[in-house]
PDB file of all heavy atoms in Angstrom:
ATOM      1  N   VAL A 290     -14.395 -67.767   0.765  1.00  0.00           N
ATOM      2  CA  VAL A 290     -14.004 -69.151   0.655  1.00  0.00           C
ATOM      3  C   VAL A 290     -13.797 -69.741   2.058  1.00  0.00           C
ATOM      4  O   VAL A 290     -13.167 -69.059   2.897  1.00  0.00           O
ATOM      5  CB  VAL A 290     -12.733 -69.311  -0.188  1.00  0.00           C
ATOM      6  CG1 VAL A 290     -12.186 -70.719  -0.124  1.00  0.00           C
ATOM      7  CG2 VAL A 290     -13.014 -68.880  -1.643  1.00  0.00           C
ATOM      8  N   THR A 291     -14.302 -70.870   2.314  1.00  0.00           N
ATOM      9  CA  THR A 291     -14.021 -71.613   3.504  1.00  0.00           C
ATOM     10  C   THR A 291     -13.014 -72.725   3.159  1.00  0.00           C
ATOM     11  O   THR A 291     -13.355 -73.734   2.588  1.00  0.00           O
ATOM     12  CB  THR A 291     -15.267 -72.235   4.155  1.00  0.00           C
ATOM     13  OG1 THR A 291     -16.177 -71.216   4.507  1.00  0.00           O
ATOM     14  CG2 THR A 291     -14.930 -73.056   5.405  1.00  0.00           C
ATOM     15  N   MET A 292     -11.745 -72.444   3.465  1.00  0.00           N
ATOM     16  CA  MET A 292     -10.624 -73.352   3.101  1.00  0.00           C
ATOM     17  C   MET A 292     -10.342 -74.260   4.342  1.00  0.00           C
ATOM     18  O   MET A 292      -9.411 -73.965   5.104  1.00  0.00           O
ATOM     19  CB  MET A 292      -9.403 -72.569   2.675  1.00  0.00           C
ATOM     20  CG  MET A 292      -8.267 -73.392   2.149  1.00  0.00           C
ATOM     21  SD  MET A 292      -8.600 -74.229   0.561  1.00  0.00           S
ATOM     22  CE  MET A 292      -8.844 -72.786  -0.545  1.00  0.00           C
ATOM     23  N   SER A 293     -11.173 -75.294   4.495  1.00  0.00           N
ATOM     24  CA  SER A 293     -10.997 -76.203   5.624  1.00  0.00           C
ATOM     25  C   SER A 293      -9.993 -77.288   5.320  1.00  0.00           C
ATOM     26  O   SER A 293     -10.186 -78.435   5.654  1.00  0.00           O
ATOM     27  CB  SER A 293     -12.335 -76.809   6.003  1.00  0.00           C
ATOM     28  OG  SER A 293     -13.233 -75.788   6.381  1.00  0.00           O
ATOM     29  N   ALA A 294      -8.916 -76.961   4.589  1.00  0.00           N
ATOM     30  CA  ALA A 294      -7.918 -77.898   4.177  1.00  0.00           C
ATOM     31  C   ALA A 294      -6.671 -77.130   3.797  1.00  0.00           C
ATOM     32  O   ALA A 294      -6.672 -75.877   3.791  1.00  0.00           O
ATOM     33  CB  ALA A 294      -8.456 -78.693   2.952  1.00  0.00           C
ATOM     34  N   LYS A 295      -5.620 -77.821   3.502  1.00  0.00           N
ATOM     35  CA  LYS A 295      -4.326 -77.191   3.197  1.00  0.00           C
ATOM     36  C   LYS A 295      -4.385 -76.543   1.839  1.00  0.00           C
ATOM     37  O   LYS A 295      -4.981 -77.023   0.888  1.00  0.00           O
ATOM     38  CB  LYS A 295      -3.222 -78.227   3.224  1.00  0.00           C
ATOM     39  CG  LYS A 295      -1.803 -77.708   2.981  1.00  0.00           C
ATOM     40  CD  LYS A 295      -0.831 -78.860   3.078  1.00  0.00           C
ATOM     41  CE  LYS A 295       0.591 -78.381   2.815  1.00  0.00           C
ATOM     42  NZ  LYS A 295       1.575 -79.511   2.916  1.00  0.00           N
ATOM     43  N   MET A 296      -3.732 -75.306   1.723  1.00  0.00           N
ATOM     44  CA  MET A 296      -3.675 -74.580   0.499  1.00  0.00           C
ATOM     45  C   MET A 296      -2.225 -74.283   0.202  1.00  0.00           C
ATOM     46  O   MET A 296      -1.487 -73.842   1.046  1.00  0.00           O
ATOM     47  CB  MET A 296      -4.436 -73.265   0.635  1.00  0.00           C
ATOM     48  CG  MET A 296      -4.307 -72.350  -0.554  1.00  0.00           C
ATOM     49  SD  MET A 296      -5.286 -70.809  -0.352  1.00  0.00           S
ATOM     50  CE  MET A 296      -4.202 -69.888   0.814  1.00  0.00           C
ATOM     51  N   SER A 297      -1.762 -74.483  -1.019  1.00  0.00           N
ATOM     52  CA  SER A 297      -0.378 -74.236  -1.431  1.00  0.00           C
ATOM     53  C   SER A 297      -0.391 -73.356  -2.681  1.00  0.00           C
ATOM     54  O   SER A 297      -0.973 -73.723  -3.678  1.00  0.00           O
ATOM     55  CB  SER A 297       0.306 -75.550  -1.707  1.00  0.00           C
ATOM     56  OG  SER A 297       1.609 -75.304  -2.145  1.00  0.00           O
ATOM     57  N   ILE A 298       0.232 -72.192  -2.532  1.00  0.00           N
ATOM     58  CA  ILE A 298       0.315 -71.261  -3.688  1.00  0.00           C
ATOM     59  C   ILE A 298       1.765 -70.794  -3.853  1.00  0.00           C
ATOM     60  O   ILE A 298       2.360 -70.260  -2.931  1.00  0.00           O
ATOM     61  CB  ILE A 298      -0.636 -70.050  -3.538  1.00  0.00           C
ATOM     62  CG1 ILE A 298      -2.081 -70.579  -3.400  1.00  0.00           C
ATOM     63  CG2 ILE A 298      -0.548 -69.059  -4.641  1.00  0.00           C
ATOM     64  CD1 ILE A 298      -3.123 -69.561  -3.343  1.00  0.00           C
ATOM     65  N   ARG A 299       2.288 -70.973  -5.071  1.00  0.00           N
ATOM     66  CA  ARG A 299       3.691 -70.660  -5.332  1.00  0.00           C
ATOM     67  C   ARG A 299       3.813 -69.658  -6.497  1.00  0.00           C
ATOM     68  O   ARG A 299       3.126 -69.800  -7.471  1.00  0.00           O
ATOM     69  CB  ARG A 299       4.489 -71.928  -5.691  1.00  0.00           C
ATOM     70  CG  ARG A 299       4.674 -72.856  -4.511  1.00  0.00           C
ATOM     71  CD  ARG A 299       4.868 -74.258  -5.018  1.00  0.00           C
ATOM     72  NE  ARG A 299       3.640 -74.880  -5.455  1.00  0.00           N
ATOM     73  CZ  ARG A 299       3.593 -76.090  -6.032  1.00  0.00           C
ATOM     74  NH1 ARG A 299       4.652 -76.814  -6.224  1.00  0.00           N
ATOM     75  NH2 ARG A 299       2.416 -76.579  -6.423  1.00  0.00           N
ATOM     76  N   ASP A 300       4.663 -68.649  -6.304  1.00  0.00           N
ATOM     77  CA  ASP A 300       5.020 -67.692  -7.376  1.00  0.00           C
ATOM     78  C   ASP A 300       3.754 -67.132  -8.004  1.00  0.00           C
ATOM     79  O   ASP A 300       3.567 -67.180  -9.211  1.00  0.00           O
ATOM     80  CB  ASP A 300       5.860 -68.398  -8.445  1.00  0.00           C
ATOM     81  CG  ASP A 300       7.130 -68.988  -7.831  1.00  0.00           C
ATOM     82  OD1 ASP A 300       7.707 -68.359  -6.947  1.00  0.00           O
ATOM     83  OD2 ASP A 300       7.541 -70.089  -8.222  1.00  0.00           O
ATOM     84  N   ALA A 301       2.878 -66.548  -7.175  1.00  0.00           N
ATOM     85  CA  ALA A 301       1.609 -66.031  -7.692  1.00  0.00           C
ATOM     86  C   ALA A 301       1.305 -64.701  -7.011  1.00  0.00           C
ATOM     87  O   ALA A 301       1.917 -64.268  -6.016  1.00  0.00           O
ATOM     88  CB  ALA A 301       0.510 -67.088  -7.430  1.00  0.00           C
ATOM     89  N   ILE A 302       0.293 -64.039  -7.579  1.00  0.00           N
ATOM     90  CA  ILE A 302      -0.318 -62.821  -6.998  1.00  0.00           C
ATOM     91  C   ILE A 302      -1.619 -63.315  -6.364  1.00  0.00           C
ATOM     92  O   ILE A 302      -2.418 -63.980  -7.004  1.00  0.00           O
ATOM     93  CB  ILE A 302      -0.549 -61.783  -8.001  1.00  0.00           C
ATOM     94  CG1 ILE A 302       0.807 -61.261  -8.623  1.00  0.00           C
ATOM     95  CG2 ILE A 302      -1.311 -60.605  -7.441  1.00  0.00           C
ATOM     96  CD1 ILE A 302       0.612 -60.348  -9.776  1.00  0.00           C
ATOM     97  N   LEU A 303      -1.819 -62.991  -5.075  1.00  0.00           N
ATOM     98  CA  LEU A 303      -2.946 -63.563  -4.352  1.00  0.00           C
ATOM     99  C   LEU A 303      -3.790 -62.433  -3.757  1.00  0.00           C
ATOM    100  O   LEU A 303      -3.273 -61.490  -3.118  1.00  0.00           O
ATOM    101  CB  LEU A 303      -2.422 -64.464  -3.208  1.00  0.00           C
ATOM    102  CG  LEU A 303      -3.486 -64.974  -2.218  1.00  0.00           C
ATOM    103  CD1 LEU A 303      -4.556 -65.826  -2.899  1.00  0.00           C
ATOM    104  CD2 LEU A 303      -2.774 -65.756  -1.121  1.00  0.00           C
ATOM    105  N   GLU A 304      -5.116 -62.511  -3.950  1.00  0.00           N
ATOM    106  CA  GLU A 304      -6.086 -61.689  -3.287  1.00  0.00           C
ATOM    107  C   GLU A 304      -6.946 -62.592  -2.438  1.00  0.00           C
ATOM    108  O   GLU A 304      -7.588 -63.485  -2.923  1.00  0.00           O
ATOM    109  CB  GLU A 304      -6.968 -60.926  -4.290  1.00  0.00           C
ATOM    110  CG  GLU A 304      -6.189 -59.857  -5.111  1.00  0.00           C
ATOM    111  CD  GLU A 304      -7.203 -59.129  -6.004  1.00  0.00           C
ATOM    112  OE1 GLU A 304      -8.409 -59.359  -5.923  1.00  0.00           O
ATOM    113  OE2 GLU A 304      -6.667 -58.295  -6.855  1.00  0.00           O
TER     114      GLU A 304
END
Side-chain angles (χ1 to χ4, degrees):
V290 171
T291 299
M292 187 67 64
S293 299
K295 184 177 178 180
M296 174 180 76
S297 177
I298 301 186
R299 291 157 284 176
D300 302 321
I302 297 173
L303 173 62
E304 294 183 4

